[in-house]
Amino acid sequence: SIPFDFHFMVEKPEEKMKWFDIKPGDYVAVHYESTKHLNKCLQYINDIGAKPIIALNPATPINVIEESLSYIKG
């Protein structure tokens, strides 16, 4: 009953997330810099009932995630 915290610090996480048994309520972090399809990744996470998180490398400006904030549920 404890949610699992997945942190995909890999290139093209959209190809690798399906390898894992991500369940509704789990937390799933995807790095902004790791994919050209960030919103697609976040939508997939939402679709399976998990909670999406956007991770940023320290040198990445925070404003780059503005267009993706609607995929993050509070």
Side-chain angles (χ1 to χ4, degrees):
S1 65
I2 298 173
F4 198 82
D5 185 356
F6 293 90
H7 188 115
F8 287 92
M9 195 171 174
V10 296
E11 290 184 14
K12 300 182 182 176
E14 63 274 10
E15 296 175 0
K16 296 162 182 88
M17 285 190 283
K18 295 177 183 173
W19 299 353
F20 296 85
D21 187 24
I22 302 171
K23 295 184 177 5
D26 287 343
Y27 295 91
V28 182
V30 177
H31 276 261
Y32 170 84
E33 303 85 2
S34 69
T35 180
K36 294 179 183 178
H37 307 286
L38 179 63
N39 292 345
K40 182 180 176 181
C41 290
L42 300 173
Q43 185 60 55
Y44 172 75
I45 296 165
N46 278 315
D47 289 347
I48 61 175
K51 298 175 183 179
I53 299 168
I54 302 172
L56 293 174
N57 289 331
T60 303
I62 196 159
N63 67 314
V64 298
I65 65 169
E66 284 180 26
E67 67 181 45
S68 301
L69 292 177
S70 63
Y71 292 89
I72 305 297
K73 296 179 181 177

